[in-house]
Amino acid sequence: MGLGIGLVGLPNVGKSTTFNALTKAQNAESANYPFCTIEPNKAVVPVPDKRLDELSKIVNPERVQHSTLDFVDIAGLVKGASKGEGLGNKFLGNIRETEVILHIVRCFEDPNIVHTEGSIDPIRDVEIIEQELLFADIDAVLKRIEMLRKKAKGNDKDAKMQLEVAEALLSHIEEGNTVSTFADIDSDGFKAMNKDLRLLTSKEIIYGANVDEEGLGEDNEFVKTLKAYAGERNREVIKLCAKVEEDMVDFDEEEKEEMLADLGVTESGLDQIIHKGFDKLGLQSYFTAGVKEVRAWTIRKGTTAPKAAAVIHNDFEKGFIRAEVISYEDFIEFGGEQGAKEAGKNRLEGKEYIVQDGDVMHFRFNV
């Protein structure tokens, strides 16, 4: 769907190791030195969904297809990146193209792994990155104001509307506030301006607290500090051990569950990241279930039935008549489509129907 999650952080905090584990591809070079990631690595990652397993037990399809998320591993930023330091503005541009930021933060000590700042301090590290994002936004808004002022002199009404919002936004962010806390973020003027600016601090941020194996159990002091910081900003922290996640890449589900149990956790950090990222992007899945394929289709929350049908094929929307819908829970409880129909759980829905997460659907259409 063209929606991405960008992995950011200081150099050498475990981003590429996390990316390797996420993609199960091992194709992002991991090394113990800064800037080992030069070009952003991109990958499409399946969204774990146990509902597909349950549907498959009933339908016994030839194949199973998961919803997916795009992840981008962006090279490590450093202090001064907004002014071109390190590998600079190029990577700020890469972040701009994503919708959600996953900020990997080092929350463990290891003398064998160098830290560019010389010590472990999660809040300092977070603030270095976020200050660079803010500086980049200030620069972008200043340039936009300069352009809008020229247009406004020519009596361009849209430019005047955007200029008023841009000047208020500049005052807001120059005080150190993020774009996401701007009072007029839902205004037409802001939306028009941000459509192409894609301001960095307007994006959702999830913190990935990268710990060692011992830190997977009880939170260490680094994680506690990061969680307190995140809580004040209404953001979430997901704890993971990137090295453990990478080690589990080739494990089957049983081996993976056994290892996680030994470490005292019930769900891997990566699965949490994928699920949380999916939610932060405002996405959900509906299902089609036939002998050829059981498949999860990705749509935005609030999507109508015809628009959901278009995800399969545009003709489904053009010729939409109605949708046959069975909730996931009813499909499972009554042993599949036929059982659900016999129990009166099959519904016919029209063009105004808002598709719910987990709906099992067939579309009637005529082109």
Side-chain angles (χ1 to χ4, degrees):
M1 293 187 70
L3 297 168
I5 298 175
L7 277 72
V8 305
L10 290 174
N12 230 22
V13 296
K15 285 187 301 77
S16 294
T17 304
T18 302
F19 182 81
N20 286 343
L22 269 168
T23 61
K24 300 188 177 180
Q26 304 285 318
N27 62 354
E29 181 189 1
S30 295
N32 183 25
Y33 55 89
F35 305 124
C36 68
T37 305
I38 306 293
E39 294 297 329
N41 294 277
K42 299 181 181 181
V44 178
V45 180
V47 178
D49 194 333
K50 291 182 179 179
R51 295 176 298 181
L52 286 168
D53 298 332
E54 297 305 312
L55 291 171
S56 298
K57 288 176 186 176
I58 294 171
V59 178
N60 194 27
E62 292 177 14
R63 60 182 177 270
V64 176
Q65 193 87 355
H66 288 250
S67 288
T68 60
L69 276 183
D70 294 339
F71 278 86
V72 183
D73 179 26
I74 296 164
L77 294 169
V78 294
K79 200 180 295 182
S82 59
K83 303 299 181 186
E85 292 295 323
L87 294 169
N89 286 317
K90 180 177 180 181
F91 302 113
L92 293 169
N94 291 331
I95 301 168
R96 207 175 297 283
E97 296 307 309
T98 64
E99 296 294 325
V100 171
I101 294 172
L102 172 62
H103 188 164
I104 302 297
V105 185
R106 182 168 163 182
C107 292
F108 68 93
E109 291 182 332
D110 185 337
N112 296 314
I113 301 177
V114 297
H115 191 294
T116 55
E117 295 296 314
S119 63
I120 310 303
D121 184 340
I123 306 308
R124 176 204 60 208
D125 293 357
V126 164
E127 289 179 343
I128 287 173
I129 297 294
E130 295 187 359
Q131 193 171 49
E132 294 306 320
L133 301 184
L134 193 62
F135 286 158
D137 281 349
I138 290 170
D139 187 53
V141 174
L142 280 168
K143 289 176 181 174
R144 180 53 56 98
I145 287 173
E146 185 179 343
M147 183 192 77
L148 290 170
R149 281 176 177 162
K150 291 177 183 176
K151 287 188 174 182
K153 285 179 181 178
N155 273 335
D156 185 319
K157 290 183 180 179
D158 285 341
K160 286 181 178 180
M161 176 184 69
Q162 287 189 42
L163 178 59
E164 186 177 333
V165 174
E167 288 176 338
L169 175 61
L170 181 63
S171 296
H172 177 76
I173 59 180
E174 282 186 330
E175 292 175 359
N177 303 304
T178 62
V179 173
S180 61
T181 60
F182 181 52
D184 291 330
I185 198 167
D186 293 321
S187 69
D188 291 341
F190 176 82
K191 288 177 180 177
M193 180 180 64
N194 199 41
K195 189 173 182 180
D196 59 307
L197 286 186
R198 298 169 67 88
L199 294 166
L200 303 174
T201 64
S202 69
K203 301 177 186 296
E204 288 268 14
I205 294 179
I206 304 168
Y207 297 120
N210 186 19
V211 300
D212 54 19
E213 283 190 32
E214 291 181 5
L216 280 174
E218 186 177 343
D219 289 349
N220 62 33
E221 291 305 313
F222 299 131
V223 174
K224 288 177 182 176
T225 301
L226 182 60
K227 283 185 174 180
Y229 178 91
E232 292 170 0
R233 289 154 181 79
N234 198 29
R235 294 173 181 165
E236 298 188 53
V237 176
I238 294 173
K239 188 165 63 173
L240 74 154
C241 176
K243 185 65 176 69
V244 166
E245 300 287 350
E246 192 176 38
D247 289 344
M248 291 193 297
V249 161
D250 296 320
F251 286 13
D252 60 31
E253 280 304 308
E254 188 175 331
E255 291 172 325
K256 186 175 171 182
E257 287 177 11
E258 187 177 322
M259 183 167 186
L260 291 173
D262 288 343
L263 293 168
V265 293
T266 55
E267 184 181 21
S268 84
L270 295 185
D271 284 356
Q272 293 178 59
I273 285 168
I274 295 167
H275 288 140
K276 183 56 64 178
F278 200 69
D279 180 62
K280 291 289 187 185
L281 287 167
L283 303 177
Q284 65 182 29
S285 299
Y286 73 86
F287 304 118
T288 51
V291 292
K292 289 286 186 184
E293 180 182 71
V294 165
R295 180 164 182 165
W297 299 88
T298 306
I299 57 173
R300 285 191 179 276
K301 295 173 184 176
T303 297
T304 60
K307 291 295 182 185
V311 176
I312 299 177
H313 198 288
N314 286 336
D315 286 349
F316 282 28
E317 180 185 9
K318 291 175 185 174
F320 181 89
I321 300 171
R322 55 179 58 90
E324 296 181 22
V325 185
I326 302 170
S327 73
Y328 167 78
E329 290 76 14
D330 287 339
F331 194 97
I332 298 302
E333 181 179 350
F334 296 102
E337 183 178 343
Q338 190 58 41
K341 284 181 176 179
E342 290 170 0
K345 300 297 184 180
N346 184 58
R347 311 188 311 274
L348 291 178
E349 300 286 0
K351 292 182 178 180
E352 303 303 315
Y353 177 67
I354 303 298
V355 178
Q356 302 300 301
D357 184 51
D359 279 349
V360 183
M361 307 186 75
H362 288 298
F363 296 103
R364 296 184 185 181
F365 70 102
N366 182 25
V367 177

